[in-house]
Amino acid sequence: MSKEELNIKQLALEFPHRPSLGREDFLISPCNQEAVNAVEQWPNWPYFALCIYGPVGCGKTHLANVFANEISNLTHFPYKIPFIRAKQLSLEKGRELFEDNHCLVVENLEELKDEEALFHLYNMYRDEGGNILFTSEKAPARLNFKLPDLRSRMNIVPTVEIKEPDDDLLSALLIKLFVDRQIMPSPEIINYMLANMSRSFEFARKLVAEVDNISLERKRAISIPIVKEALAVLNSEPKQGDLFSF
């Protein structure tokens, strides 16, 4: 029996790809220039902490990596400062982090579970000398912390928003996402994607991944018909509100 008769579909293998997170790979445009400037002011920050916030996929982690690498270079620290997701914080972990590192990146504030742990971490770095770079999808003032003392402290942390991308940045981002997967797209492909996609960092990442998956499944080079198919797949996905409609 042939493969056609068995209707076997060639599945795309999940080959790992490593995003480029160096300073030279960070794409700067008006939507993120203020955030870049704020991060680069270290160690002359106006406060011990800074929060960069913005939509999923906007480059917060990339910028945090640039920050961590710059500190290592400026201080000749032997390794990059640590990253921890807010949901992983605990009282014990906070003390351990401070004893070994006076600079820290705390990501995804919106996922925080232990508010007391963040409250004590905040106080340690503020009172005993240290710096924290926070990342979040929302500004701290909109996260509705239940612990009043934590809420008041987080509300005075300087914040900078990364906004949704303009056309120039979105075009550069699409190219970078393809290059991270060892693919060099044609200008026609990029222009078609720009003209037909949702204008967000998150959608750009999903679209490039879907295009790559379909290309691997079909064993064909990336083309506009493949991009059309990928767009159809993503546009057919249920929106968050649809999941609760009856």
Side-chain angles (χ1 to χ4, degrees):
M1 185 177 292
S2 68
K3 286 185 178 180
E4 289 76 18
E5 290 172 319
L6 288 172
N7 194 27
I8 292 177
K9 180 181 180 181
Q10 176 66 44
L11 297 177
L13 297 177
E14 288 294 329
F15 293 108
H17 64 280
R18 179 177 298 173
S20 300
L21 296 176
R23 176 66 178 83
E24 68 280 3
D25 301 304
F26 189 82
L27 308 170
I28 300 176
S29 83
C31 75
N32 61 24
Q33 182 70 68
E34 186 180 359
V36 173
N37 293 343
V39 167
E40 289 184 340
Q41 286 177 15
W42 186 93
N44 300 311
W45 284 357
Y47 198 54
F48 84 96
L50 173 70
C51 180
I52 302 298
Y53 72 96
V56 172
C58 71
K60 300 184 294 292
T61 294
H62 191 160
L63 186 54
N65 272 277
V66 172
F67 168 71
N69 288 329
E70 285 300 307
I71 290 179
S72 295
N73 293 335
L74 290 170
T75 62
H76 306 291
F77 203 61
Y79 58 88
K80 190 168 71 174
I81 65 174
F83 285 56
I84 186 169
R85 294 179 75 106
K87 67 181 180 181
Q88 297 171 330
L89 281 174
S90 65
L91 291 172
E92 297 77 13
K93 187 67 174 176
R95 171 53 67 178
E96 177 186 325
L97 286 166
F98 181 77
E99 288 176 352
D100 295 333
N101 308 276
H102 283 197
C103 284
L104 177 67
V105 175
V106 177
E107 293 207 280
N108 303 98
L109 268 179
E110 70 280 355
E111 298 178 353
L112 180 68
K113 298 183 183 300
D114 189 337
E115 293 192 4
E116 186 178 356
L118 179 58
F119 174 74
H120 287 285
L121 183 80
Y122 183 110
N123 289 341
M124 275 190 293
Y125 275 81
R126 182 196 62 184
D127 299 339
E128 301 181 38
N131 295 112
I132 303 176
L133 176 63
F134 294 103
T135 72
S136 178
E137 290 183 25
K138 298 179 181 178
R142 298 184 59 194
L143 290 179
N144 299 317
F145 296 109
K146 295 180 176 61
L147 195 63
D149 287 340
L150 176 63
R151 182 168 62 249
S152 63
R153 283 163 171 75
M154 292 303 301
N155 283 348
I156 63 174
V157 171
T159 62
V160 185
E161 181 183 12
I162 297 179
K163 302 177 179 67
E164 291 289 8
D166 54 32
D167 277 2
D168 288 343
L169 180 58
L170 198 55
S171 175
L173 176 62
L174 289 169
I175 293 170
K176 179 188 181 301
L177 292 171
F178 277 119
V179 170
D180 284 345
R181 294 170 177 266
Q182 292 80 50
I183 300 168
M184 183 55 68
S186 69
E188 292 76 18
I189 294 291
I190 297 299
N191 289 338
Y192 184 85
M193 294 171 80
L194 281 173
N196 293 278
M197 65 183 287
S198 298
R199 323 296 290 177
S200 75
F201 294 100
E202 184 178 18
F203 193 89
R205 294 177 188 278
K206 288 182 178 180
L207 179 56
V208 169
E210 188 64 32
V211 166
D212 191 19
N213 287 339
I214 294 173
S215 174
L216 289 170
E217 288 176 4
R218 304 285 188 274
K219 295 186 177 180
R220 290 166 47 200
I222 291 172
S223 62
I224 287 178
I226 284 179
V227 174
K228 287 181 179 179
E229 185 174 348
L231 285 166
V233 169
L234 295 181
N235 290 331
S236 68
E237 291 181 349
K239 304 296 188 292
Q240 190 67 26
D242 296 340
L243 297 176
F244 302 97
S245 61
F246 297 93

